[in-house]
Amino acid sequence: MFRLPVGSRRAYSRAVTDRPIGVLLLQLGTPDSPKTSDVRTYLREFLSDPRVLDMPAAARHLLLNGVILPLRPGRSAHAYRQIWTDEGSPLIIHTERLARKVGRRLGDGYRVAYGMRYQSPSIASAIAKLTGAGCDRLIVFPLFPQYASASGGSAVAKTLAVVADRWNVLDVSTIGPFYDNPGFLHAVAAAARPALDEFRPDHVVFSYHGLPAKQIRKSDPTGQWCLANQDCCEAINEANRFCYRAHSFATTRGLVAELGIEEGSYHTTFQSRLTGQKWIKPYTDKVLPQLYAGGVRRLAVLTPSFAADCLETLEEIGIRGRNQWMELGGEELLLLPCVNDSDLWATAVANLIRGRAGVRSDPEHARP
């Protein structure tokens, strides 16, 4: 029987126990460039996911190839060109910077990489980077504050599939939704507060990414609560603990308290819907005319379902939403920034990771 010498066994044991923990930050993804061809490639991968287009495979194929891909890539490419920077996609830029900051906060016992559910850098390449750095344990952190099968669920499922395909399967743990995490709420409020104080809005809209109503119902284990009454999202319970809409309203409640926004001076809405299906309401673009008719002229918008600014924040709200508001006669619409790679957010992420690793948060960096 083969046995290592005693000295070698000790050195080997230390090497195993001293291996760094791998941290994988997950985001949805972005085209490689704003060219129509690259946007089409991105949309094909994104919308081929059955967790996103939740319908029978044949219907999904017909919708994607018969309607969406012939028409949408050109329009989406135009939108991407309006937000693209010299450094590239804002989503990639902020995520990469966040990964570096989180790595510095965590220190030598960790290695941090980031991957995109769709396109580059891929989840597989990020995992290869971490295992190449000697990581046998992986903490997966989907950067989606509220749970949805189409975002965090899909990203985790893809990660587990990549891990399962390896000969040596890693020890994997995940961090769940953080919609009510005090560190997240504090970071969002801190990013928004200076602009809010200067702008002094008449009203604040908390605009979240939309979801088809049927996906909300599918996340209800009782099948009897979600979207069954007007009060279904007023508190988190056993029936709606996976409910994206309930998580969104909980985020709004937390931010309203954190920012000291008065009752009656804010709305929770949902954006980014596709036509032809019932999506969760109220719709952001339908609420804006109602607010203007009610006397609002200076409107501020937060987008707290996004941890980093991207097409849906910068173009959909910051450009199209603002144009809609101005055409209605509004004085100004201010898009408030996401947490992006702020120092407070990087600290909150690091503390969540330490908690998942079974290590206490660093009190010196809990609220820098």
Side-chain angles (χ1 to χ4, degrees):
M1 179 178 178
F2 174 74
R3 293 177 61 86
L4 287 170
V6 173
S8 297
R9 288 204 301 272
R10 290 173 180 167
Y12 178 77
S13 177
R14 285 196 302 271
V16 170
T17 57
D18 290 345
R19 286 187 179 277
I21 297 173
V23 176
L24 176 58
L25 304 180
L26 296 177
Q27 269 289 9
L28 196 71
T30 180
D32 291 338
S33 84
K35 295 179 180 178
T36 301
S37 57
D38 285 336
V39 173
R40 181 179 290 107
T41 299
Y42 169 73
L43 290 176
R44 184 182 298 279
E45 183 181 1
F46 172 44
L47 297 174
S48 294
D49 187 343
R51 288 179 181 263
V52 175
L53 282 184
D54 177 23
M55 57 184 66
R60 183 169 56 252
H61 177 82
L62 287 173
L63 177 61
L64 180 58
N65 294 285
V67 178
I68 296 176
L69 291 180
L71 300 173
R72 187 168 172 179
R75 294 197 300 267
S76 294
H78 173 72
Y80 274 109
R81 284 193 291 271
Q82 294 184 80
I83 67 160
W84 215 261
T85 73
D86 292 339
E87 296 178 76
S89 163
L91 181 66
I92 292 285
I93 294 166
H94 292 308
T95 307
E96 182 175 8
R97 290 173 180 171
L98 176 67
R100 288 201 298 267
K101 286 187 175 183
V102 171
R104 288 197 293 269
R105 282 160 171 76
L106 291 174
D108 292 339
Y110 300 81
R111 298 293 182 270
V112 181
Y114 69 95
M116 300 287 153
R117 172 60 181 88
Y118 313 104
Q119 297 297 280
S120 304
S122 69
I123 290 173
S125 68
I127 291 175
K129 181 178 179 180
L130 293 171
T131 56
C135 302
D136 289 340
R137 179 182 176 188
L138 186 63
I139 295 178
V140 181
F141 192 164
L143 295 172
F144 308 102
Q146 303 81 25
Y147 176 78
S149 180
S151 55
S154 179
V156 170
K158 177 66 174 180
T159 302
L160 295 178
V162 171
V163 169
D165 207 34
R166 298 176 60 87
W167 183 259
N168 296 321
V169 177
L170 302 173
D171 175 2
V172 180
S173 57
T174 61
I175 294 176
F178 48 90
Y179 60 92
D180 60 350
N181 175 263
F184 168 67
L185 295 175
H186 182 63
V188 174
R193 187 176 287 110
L196 276 175
D197 290 345
E198 181 179 352
F199 184 63
R200 299 179 66 85
D202 302 331
H203 204 85
V204 178
V205 166
F206 295 88
S207 183
Y208 298 80
H209 200 289
L211 274 183
K214 69 176 182 178
Q215 292 193 13
I216 298 296
R217 295 189 182 95
K218 285 179 68 173
S219 289
D220 176 0
T222 71
Q224 299 176 347
W225 181 265
C226 288
L227 303 183
N229 61 77
Q230 292 184 340
D231 302 328
C232 60
C233 293
E234 285 193 355
I236 302 298
N237 56 45
E238 279 298 303
N240 65 13
R241 67 187 189 277
F242 295 110
C243 176
Y244 174 85
R245 189 173 186 271
H247 289 182
S248 299
F249 277 96
T251 301
T252 295
R253 291 191 294 270
L255 290 173
V256 164
E258 188 84 27
L259 289 165
I261 299 174
E262 295 182 3
E263 192 65 33
S265 62
Y266 65 90
H267 269 73
T268 296
T269 64
F270 299 90
Q271 61 182 86
S272 312
R273 67 187 184 279
L274 291 176
T275 58
Q277 301 181 65
K278 290 184 179 181
W279 284 55
I280 52 177
K281 296 179 179 180
Y283 301 144
T284 301
D285 60 338
K286 301 298 183 183
V287 168
L288 297 190
Q290 298 170 15
L291 293 176
Y292 179 79
V296 175
R297 295 297 180 266
R298 295 177 64 78
L299 182 66
V301 182
L302 279 90
T303 53
S305 61
F306 304 93
D309 278 307
C310 55
L311 185 74
E312 287 80 3
T313 66
L314 300 172
E315 192 276 335
E316 185 175 355
I317 299 298
I319 297 176
R320 277 189 286 147
R322 183 177 183 275
N323 288 342
Q324 180 190 1
W325 184 247
M326 303 304 286
E327 289 170 3
L328 288 167
E331 181 182 331
E332 186 57 274
L333 183 150
L334 174 67
L335 171 66
L336 295 160
C338 293
V339 285
N340 292 321
D341 57 305
S342 74
D343 289 340
L344 276 175
W345 177 225
T347 297
V349 171
N351 284 337
L352 282 164
I353 291 164
R354 289 191 189 97
R356 196 68 184 89
V359 179
R360 292 183 62 183
S361 298
D362 184 352
E364 293 185 9
H365 297 102
R367 273 194 171 191

